[in-house]
Amino acid sequence: MTQQESSERFWKKFYGPNMGYLEEQYELYLQDRDSVDATLQEMFAQYGAPKETGNGTAEVVKGGSSLPSQFNAKQLTSAIKLVEAIRRYGHLKANIYPVGSGKTSDTTLVNPEHYHLSKEILEAIPADWVWDKNMVGVTTANDVVEYLMAQYAGSISFEYDHVNNDDERYWFQDNIESGNYRFTLSDDEKRQLLGKIVDVEGFENFLAKTFVAQKRFSIEGLEMMVPILDHIVQKSFYDETEEILMGMAHRGRLSVLTHILGKPFDKLFSEFHPSADKELVPSSPGSRAITYGWTGDVKYHFGAKRQLGEEKPSPPTKITLAHNPSHLEFVNPVVEGFTRAAQDFRFQKGRTEQNFERAFSILIHGGDAAFIGEGVVAETFNLSALPGYKTGGTMHIIANNLVGFTTGQEQGRSTRYASDLAKGFEVPIIHVNADDPEACISAAKLAYDYRKKFQKDVLIDLVGYRRYGHNEMDEPRATQPKLYKSIDQHDTCATVYAKNLQDQGIIQENAFEEMKEAVFNKLQGIYDEMTESTNENPEALPVPKALQTSLNDIETAVPKELLLSLNEGILKRPEGFQAFKKLEKILQKRHNTFANEEKADWAVGEALAYASILQDGIPIRLSGQDSERGTFAHRHLVLHDIETNDTYCPLHGLDEAKATFDVHNSPLSEAAVLGFEYGYSVKAPKTLVIWEAQFGDFANAAQVIFDQFISSSRAKWDERSNMVILLPHGYEGQGPEHSSGRVERFLTMAAENNWIVANVTSSAQFFHLLRRQAALVDSEAARPLIVMTPKSLLRSSRVVSTLDKFTNGKFQPLMQQPGLEWTSKKAKRLLIGTGKVMVDIEDKMSDNQAAYEDVHVLRLEQIYPFPEQQIREVIEGCPNLTEVVWVQEEPRNMGCWNFVKELLFKMLEEKKIDLHYVGRCQRSSPSVGDPHIHKAEQRSLVKRALELSEGGKN
C-alpha cells in the first residue's frame, strides 16, 4: 500500500462535524505546530492533510465548528480511535465460545479506559462526531460504543480489516453496523429452525443408542452446521446456480448426508452392520440404488449427490458431496476442481469460457486443528485468485470443536484463531457461536451475499465443541478433563434454543419433548422395517469388465493430410503478433522438418497429439509449474509478444479444432494442484486432463492425492478419472531430486487395472499413447495414465519418429529395439528394460552392431498392465536364449525390478532360462550427486548389460 493510499484510507474514518473540526485544526497546525493537541500533531505528521473522501453521509461543518467545553481534542480523537478499535478488535471480547474458550485474549484495545475515556466524556460527544450512521436511540458517542459492541462483540463477530479492498471493507462495515445482515425470522420460522436442530440431534442420539460403540464422528456440539448448509442451499434457488459442490471431513458427515444430501436413513443404517455375519437390508428399493466401487469404504467417507429446486424457474440445483478419505483437508482442492469443471464451457475452439454463476463450492473444514495444521489448506487458498484455478469464491466453514483428536489449541497452533491462516489471503472471517442458531443463520446469509457480490472466498468460523470423544470410543475426559467438565454440564444447542423460544412464548413447554419423541419414533419405524439376512461369506465385488478388457484394439493413427494441415496450423500467428525471434526460428525449423522431411521430434509429436485430439472434439486441460513452456523448454504452447507481452496459444488458432485447449502454469504446489486436476477430471469426464510435474521426483509432495484418490477412488467410491500424469524421469547426473519419478511407488499401487504406467521412448509412441488415453474419455474403461516422460531425450535424435509411424499403427506396450527384428534365432541373451537406459544401450550397440549378434533387446513401454503375452511370444521366437536380463538405471530396490522379477521368473522357470538383474545396487537415495560418478556408473551399467559374464540369479 502506498503512502497516499494509506493516508486516504485513514481519513475515511472521519466524517461530518469531526472532519470540519480536523480541517480547522490542520490550518492552525500549519501556522503553529504546538497550537494543536499532541495527538493531532502526530496524526497530521503521519497522514498529512485531512481529506474529505465522500465516505460520510453528513455535511462537513467547517470554519465555525468548535468543541463543547466539557472535553478536549485529545478526547475526541480518542473516541474516534475507540470506535475504530471496536470494528477491528471487537471479536476479542465476543461471546463466541459455547464452552471453554479460545486462547487468552487481551481486550484492552476495546475498553474505553485504555483511551482515558469515561462514560461521562463519551456522553458529552455527539454521535455524529464519531459515527456516520443515523440510528434511533443513538445520540451520543457512548450510545455508539454500546451499539457497536453489540454488533461486533456479541455471539457473532467479524474480522475484515485485513481485506485491502475498500469496497469490500465498507460493504462489511455497512452491513454489520446497519444490521442489514441479520436474518429476521418469524415465529413460525423459529419453530422450523428448532425442528431442524432437533432432527439432527435426534438422528445422532438414535445412532448412539442403536449402534452402540460404533464410529460415527458425531456432529453433536456443532448441530447448526446442518441448518447453515440448508440456508445456503435455499438461497441458491433464487440465483442461477446449477451446482453446489461440497467437501468435508468425517465430523458430522452422516448428518449432512442424510439431512442435506437426502441419503435414505435405511441405507445409512444398513452400512453399520451390527454383526459380522449378518447385514441390514434397506426396506425401500430406492435405497439400494446407491452403489459404490467394488471394495467400498467406511460409511463416513462416502459422498452423495442430490437434485433440488425442480420447482424453481431456473434449472434445478444439483448438490454433490465429495467422497473423502480420513486425510481431512485433501478433499479441498478436489472440490475446487469439481467446481471449475462445472463452470467451464469446453466445446468450442480456443480457450474455455467460465461462468461463476453456474456453480460454487462449500468447504467444511474438519475442525480448527485440521484447518490450521494441514498445509494443503493454504495451498488451496492460494489457488483462489489464479486464472487457471479460481472459482469465483468458496464458502468455507470451520467445524471448530476446540480440540484435535486429543491435542488442545495450545499445542495445535501458534495463532489466536485457527482462522488466522485465511487472513494472509484477504479472506473475511465471521466467528459465530454454534449455540446461537439465529446468529448462525445470519452468518450464513452474510457469507453468501459477500461471495455472490465480490466472487471471493469467505470464511465462517463455527465455534462449538465436541460432545464425545474423537470417534465415540475415545474417553476425552482423560486428556481434556476441564473442558469436558464444562461440556457435561452444558445443554445441547436444541435445548438452549428451545428454552429461548419458550421464554419468548413461541413454543409451549411440552413442545420440545414432543418434537424429540417424534424424531425418534420416525427413525425407529424406519429401522424396524428393515430386515436382516445372513451373509456368511461376505466378499468384495468383482472388478468391472470394462477395466479387465485389453486396450490393444484402440486405433489411434491419423491420416497424413490431416497431420500436415494441423502442423501448418500450429505455425499460424495473429496479425501483428511478434514472438521472440530466436524461439520462432526453432519452432519453424522443427515443424518444417516434419512437413518437408516427415520426421517429428518429441515436441512436434506431442503438439500433433493435442491438435488431433482437439480435432476429434475432445477438450484438453494441461497444467503444471512450467507447462506453458515446458520445464525443459520443449513445448512452447504459449508465445509472448515481445512488444506488448500479449500471449497466444498456437492450438487456439487451429481451423480443425472442435474443443478447447487450456494450458496453465500452476503455482509451486503439487498436492493442491494435482488434487484440483483430479477433481476436474472426475467432474469433466469428456475432457482429457493432464498434470505435469516440474520434475517427476517432486510428485511425492502430492502422495496423498495419488494414494487416496487417483489410485483407489474407482475401487472405493466408483469415482472415475481418466487424467494423465506426466513425470519427467531419467538419470542424467543431476542428483537425487532430479532423476527419479519414483516409478516403483506407482507400480506398488498398481492392481485391478486401476491405472496405466508407461515409459515411452519415441515421439510416435507418446502420440499414440495420448490419443489412446483420449479415446477412453467418458467410458467405463477410463482410468488414469502415469507416464515417465523424458528430459534429455526430448532433443535426442533417437526419439524422433517418421511420419508413417503416426499415420499407421498404434501404441505398442512392448517395442523391439530400433533396427532389430521382433525375434532373433541367434540371440542367447535377451535384454528387457524401460526408458532412457534402453536408449543408452541403443547408442552403445550402434557403435558395432555385429559385436552384439547374440543379444536381443526389448523395450517395455507399458509397464502396467504388464504385456506378458507379448514377451512370451518374443521368448518363443528366440529358441537359443540362455538368459534374460532386466536392465534399469534406478537402484535395485527402486525402479521396476521388484515389480517385474516375479512375473519374469515364472515365465522363464518352465523354460530353464536364467533371470539376471543389471542396474545400480540397493540405495537409500535415488542417485548420486556427483555427475562424474554418475557417468562412470552409467557406462558400467550399459557394459554389464551387453557383456554379462556372470550376474545375480533371482
Side-chain angles (χ1 to χ4, degrees):
M1 185 183 299
T2 65
Q3 178 61 40
Q4 180 180 351
E5 289 172 333
S6 176
S7 176
E8 289 176 356
R9 179 173 173 179
F10 178 78
W11 292 121
K12 279 186 178 182
K13 302 172 185 177
F14 302 89
Y15 24 74
N18 57 29
M19 178 55 76
Y21 168 74
L22 289 170
E23 290 180 346
E24 177 187 75
Q25 292 296 302
Y26 187 70
E27 291 178 7
L28 296 174
Y29 169 79
L30 293 176
Q31 298 171 17
D32 180 5
R33 176 187 177 94
D34 294 329
S35 65
V36 300
D37 186 87
T39 304
L40 295 177
Q41 293 180 30
E42 185 180 326
M43 288 168 53
F44 296 148
Q46 183 172 356
Y47 298 106
K51 296 176 182 177
E52 175 62 40
T53 62
N55 181 55
T57 56
E59 292 184 9
V60 178
V61 179
K62 297 182 179 179
S65 61
S66 60
L67 287 171
S69 58
Q70 297 98 317
F71 57 91
N72 56 43
K74 185 173 183 178
Q75 291 168 340
L76 173 61
T77 55
S78 293
I80 294 169
K81 286 181 179 180
L82 173 59
V83 167
E84 187 60 28
I86 293 170
R87 291 179 177 132
R88 298 183 66 182
Y89 306 113
H91 58 88
L92 297 176
K93 211 166 185 177
N95 176 31
I96 58 172
Y97 295 96
V99 298
S101 67
K103 291 195 169 189
T104 303
S105 298
D106 182 355
T107 61
T108 302
L109 288 172
V110 291
N111 293 331
E113 295 80 8
H114 177 69
Y115 302 91
H116 305 291
L117 295 170
S118 64
K119 183 177 181 180
E120 290 72 23
I121 294 173
L122 289 170
E123 286 182 337
I125 302 174
D128 61 355
W129 281 67
V130 296
W131 196 46
D132 67 335
K133 293 280 187 298
N134 293 315
M135 193 72 63
V136 175
V138 180
T139 59
T140 70
N142 190 64
D143 295 334
V144 172
V145 169
E146 290 180 352
Y147 176 79
L148 293 183
M149 284 298 291
Q151 305 309 311
Y152 285 95
S155 55
I156 182 170
S157 65
F158 313 89
E159 292 184 90
Y160 59 85
D161 196 64
H162 53 279
V163 178
N164 284 322
N165 182 285
D166 284 346
D167 290 340
E168 295 175 44
R169 249 186 359 270
Y170 289 119
W171 182 88
F172 259 101
Q173 183 176 312
D174 181 67
N175 270 276
I176 295 164
E177 296 180 16
S178 66
N180 290 339
Y181 79 95
R182 291 195 176 272
F183 193 77
T184 304
L185 284 76
S186 66
D187 288 355
D188 189 50
E189 288 172 329
K190 291 179 180 181
R191 284 188 287 268
Q192 291 176 16
L193 178 55
L194 175 61
K196 291 175 183 177
I197 305 169
V198 172
D199 279 345
V200 175
E201 183 181 299
F203 168 72
E204 295 286 356
N205 286 336
F206 182 82
L207 292 181
K209 293 175 181 177
T210 308
F211 307 106
V212 179
Q214 290 219 45
K215 293 181 183 179
R216 57 192 170 92
F217 298 100
S218 160
I219 201 174
E220 290 160 284
L222 289 166
E223 292 90 344
M224 273 308 299
M225 183 197 300
V226 172
I228 284 175
L229 293 174
D230 183 65
H231 178 79
I232 293 170
V233 170
Q234 295 298 323
K235 280 185 72 70
S236 75
F237 292 164
Y238 298 94
D239 297 324
E240 297 301 313
T241 307
E242 296 177 21
E243 294 203 49
I244 300 174
L245 294 311
M246 294 171 52
M248 68 180 298
H250 38 265
R251 175 74 52 208
R253 193 178 188 90
L254 301 185
S255 281
V256 172
L257 280 169
T258 50
H259 293 92
I260 302 297
L261 277 297
K263 183 170 183 174
F265 291 108
D266 53 358
K267 171 62 180 174
L268 183 69
F269 296 159
S270 72
E271 293 170 355
F272 272 88
H273 293 295
S275 60
D277 61 346
K278 291 186 178 181
E279 63 178 351
L280 284 171
V281 180
S283 54
S284 54
S287 297
R288 296 180 185 227
I290 303 175
T291 57
Y292 307 105
W294 54 92
T295 61
D297 204 341
V298 291
K299 51 195 163 291
Y300 39 81
H301 289 172
F302 283 128
K305 295 179 181 178
R306 184 185 189 185
Q307 188 161 289
L308 292 170
E310 285 85 352
E311 69 284 354
K312 66 177 187 170
S314 54
T317 300
K318 185 164 75 174
I319 308 171
T320 300
L321 176 64
H323 306 290
N324 190 26
S326 283
H327 288 68
L328 299 176
E329 302 297 326
F330 280 84
V331 76
N332 296 351
V334 175
V335 171
E336 297 296 344
F338 284 176
T339 307
R340 179 63 180 253
Q343 294 173 344
D344 282 350
F345 185 74
R346 295 173 288 277
F347 296 95
Q348 75 283 338
K349 80 172 191 176
R351 56 172 56 89
T352 56
E353 296 176 2
Q354 186 179 12
N355 180 359
F356 290 150
E357 302 302 319
R358 290 181 62 188
F360 68 87
S361 49
I362 304 172
L363 293 178
I364 303 167
H365 300 278
D368 50 329
F371 183 85
I372 193 78
E374 296 282 358
V376 72
V377 177
E379 287 190 34
T380 306
F381 269 117
N382 190 46
L383 301 179
S384 63
L386 303 182
Y389 307 91
K390 63 184 178 182
T391 58
T394 293
M395 298 185 67
H396 300 264
I397 302 172
I398 297 179
N400 190 338
N401 56 29
L402 308 181
V403 61
F405 208 154
T406 65
T407 301
Q409 297 171 352
E410 68 283 353
Q411 294 176 304
R413 65 173 185 261
S414 298
T415 58
R416 174 181 288 114
Y417 302 118
S419 57
D420 286 346
L421 171 69
K423 291 180 181 177
F425 300 93
E426 297 188 35
V427 175
I429 298 161
I430 307 168
H431 304 281
V432 63
N433 188 319
D435 266 6
D436 187 339
E438 294 175 29
C440 289
I441 299 301
S442 295
K445 175 182 179 295
L446 183 65
Y448 185 92
D449 292 344
Y450 172 84
R451 185 264 166 196
K452 179 181 176 181
K453 181 174 179 62
F454 295 104
Q455 297 181 331
K456 287 183 58 180
D457 286 25
V458 61
L459 172 62
I460 297 173
D461 180 17
L462 180 63
V463 185
Y465 54 91
R466 188 185 70 196
R467 185 160 288 278
Y468 303 107
H470 176 70
N471 58 20
E472 289 78 43
M473 291 187 288
D474 296 325
E475 176 46 82
R477 292 158 191 81
T479 52
Q480 271 81 28
K482 184 177 179 182
L483 174 61
Y484 275 85
K485 183 178 181 180
S486 298
I487 292 173
D488 290 341
Q489 297 170 352
H490 186 76
D491 287 335
T492 67
C493 175
T495 303
V496 171
Y497 193 49
K499 288 179 179 177
N500 187 358
L501 297 189
Q502 286 177 26
D503 292 343
Q504 296 178 50
I506 295 173
I507 64 171
Q508 299 299 315
E509 189 173 340
N510 60 344
F512 179 48
E513 293 301 323
E514 290 174 355
M515 293 170 76
K516 292 197 295 183
E517 186 177 349
V519 171
F520 184 85
N521 291 339
K522 178 187 74 172
L523 297 174
Q524 187 67 52
I526 294 171
Y527 181 76
D528 290 343
E529 289 180 9
M530 299 175 71
T531 60
E532 277 191 356
S533 67
T534 302
N535 190 8
E536 296 179 356
N537 298 299
E539 56 185 42
L541 298 171
V543 177
K545 288 184 179 180
L547 284 183
Q548 301 176 43
T549 305
S550 168
L551 304 178
N552 294 338
D553 295 334
I554 297 176
E555 297 294 336
T556 53
V558 176
K560 177 179 178 178
E561 295 74 18
L562 177 57
L563 285 176
L564 292 175
S565 176
L566 292 172
N567 183 61
E568 184 179 345
I570 290 172
L571 290 175
K572 292 179 181 177
R573 305 289 182 263
E575 185 177 351
F577 189 88
Q578 300 181 64
F580 184 45
K581 288 184 178 179
K582 184 178 178 180
L583 172 60
E584 281 285 31
K585 187 175 181 181
I586 294 170
L587 298 178
Q588 291 281 342
K589 180 179 179 181
R590 71 189 191 190
H591 285 277
N592 287 340
T593 299
F594 181 76
N596 301 325
E597 301 177 30
E598 298 188 348
K599 293 180 180 179
D601 64 6
W602 190 279
V604 171
E606 181 183 8
L608 290 175
Y610 298 147
S612 63
I613 291 168
L614 296 177
Q615 191 273 336
D616 290 337
I618 298 172
I620 299 172
R621 176 183 167 91
L622 166 63
S623 80
Q625 286 163 15
D626 298 278
S627 290
E628 292 182 357
R629 187 201 74 168
T631 298
F632 310 100
H634 83 284
R635 185 173 291 127
H636 293 293
L637 285 179
V638 174
L639 306 176
H640 297 258
D641 190 294
I642 58 174
E643 298 296 333
T644 65
N645 208 37
D646 290 342
T647 60
Y648 174 69
C649 174
L651 294 179
H652 288 167
L654 294 176
D655 294 334
E656 297 88 348
K658 301 182 185 71
T660 58
F661 180 82
D662 275 353
V663 56
H664 298 289
N665 283 343
S666 76
L668 197 65
S669 158
E670 285 80 30
V673 171
L674 180 60
F676 186 101
E677 302 303 343
Y678 167 79
Y680 199 106
S681 73
V682 170
K683 186 64 181 170
K686 296 181 180 180
T687 300
L688 186 65
V689 177
I690 305 170
W691 177 74
E692 180 179 51
Q694 190 177 54
F695 286 82
D697 317 62
F698 302 165
N700 58 14
Q703 200 64 44
V704 171
I705 302 296
F706 286 117
D707 292 352
Q708 307 301 326
F709 291 91
I710 300 174
S711 71
S712 58
S713 62
R714 184 83 180 268
K716 293 189 296 187
W717 312 319
D718 196 28
E719 189 164 85
R720 197 170 61 201
S721 170
N722 197 57
M723 72 181 302
V724 179
I725 313 292
L726 304 181
L727 305 177
H729 174 91
Y731 281 53
E732 280 101 359
Q734 297 299 310
E737 277 69 59
H738 296 86
S739 297
S740 176
R742 297 288 194 174
V743 63
E744 65 275 3
R745 295 182 178 174
F746 299 97
L747 294 174
T748 298
M749 294 183 281
E752 301 175 312
N753 282 347
N754 62 327
W755 55 24
I756 300 163
V757 182
N759 191 356
V760 296
T761 54
S762 81
S763 62
Q765 279 282 84
F766 191 51
F767 172 89
H768 288 297
L769 181 63
L770 287 175
R771 285 187 51 77
R772 187 182 75 172
Q773 191 69 8
L776 296 177
V777 298
D778 202 29
S779 73
E780 285 298 315
R783 71 206 70 174
L785 167 64
I786 313 294
V787 189
M788 300 290 128
T789 53
K791 295 180 288 186
S792 63
L793 291 186
L794 291 170
R795 291 172 176 79
S796 170
S797 61
R798 299 286 182 190
V799 305
V800 171
S801 298
T802 54
L803 176 60
D804 64 295
K805 298 293 185 183
F806 297 86
T807 59
N808 298 295
K810 53 195 172 188
F811 176 71
Q812 300 296 323
L814 187 70
M815 194 171 74
Q816 75 268 26
Q817 188 89 317
L820 300 181
E821 298 297 326
W822 182 242
T823 58
S824 170
K825 304 247 183 237
K826 295 181 180 180
K828 296 179 181 179
R829 181 185 304 122
L830 175 62
L831 303 184
I832 307 177
T834 184
K836 176 182 170 292
V837 69
M838 305 312 290
V839 178
D840 294 342
I841 287 174
E842 180 187 355
D843 281 338
K844 181 67 175 176
M845 291 178 69
S846 65
D847 294 340
N848 185 4
Q849 186 67 48
Y852 303 107
E853 286 188 347
D854 62 345
V855 177
H856 196 58
V857 184
L858 290 177
R859 294 184 184 178
L860 189 59
E861 301 277 290
Q862 177 179 289
I863 309 157
Y864 182 81
F866 188 69
E868 181 176 344
Q869 184 57 39
Q870 292 170 278
I871 294 176
R872 284 184 181 275
E873 291 173 5
V874 174
I875 293 173
E876 291 292 339
C878 299
N880 294 311
L881 282 183
T882 60
E883 58 186 358
V884 171
V885 179
W886 174 261
V887 186
Q888 68 178 40
E889 52 189 348
E890 302 88 357
R892 185 179 184 126
N893 55 318
M894 302 177 195
C896 303
W897 171 241
N898 286 326
F899 177 78
V900 303
K901 65 183 180 183
E902 184 176 354
L903 296 167
L904 292 173
F905 180 74
K906 288 181 178 179
M907 197 183 302
L908 300 174
E909 185 179 28
E910 58 198 51
K911 294 183 173 295
K912 304 291 194 276
I913 297 174
D914 292 338
L915 176 63
H916 298 278
Y917 164 86
V918 168
R920 288 172 169 81
C921 62
Q922 289 191 343
R923 284 188 173 139
S924 57
S925 177
S927 78
V928 297
D930 189 317
H932 300 291
I933 297 175
H934 161 78
K935 290 177 182 177
E937 286 184 343
Q938 200 77 356
R939 286 193 298 268
S940 172
L941 189 158
V942 172
K943 182 178 179 181
R944 284 186 290 126
L946 291 170
E947 302 173 9
L948 185 67
S949 57
E950 60 180 2
K953 283 187 183 180
N954 185 27

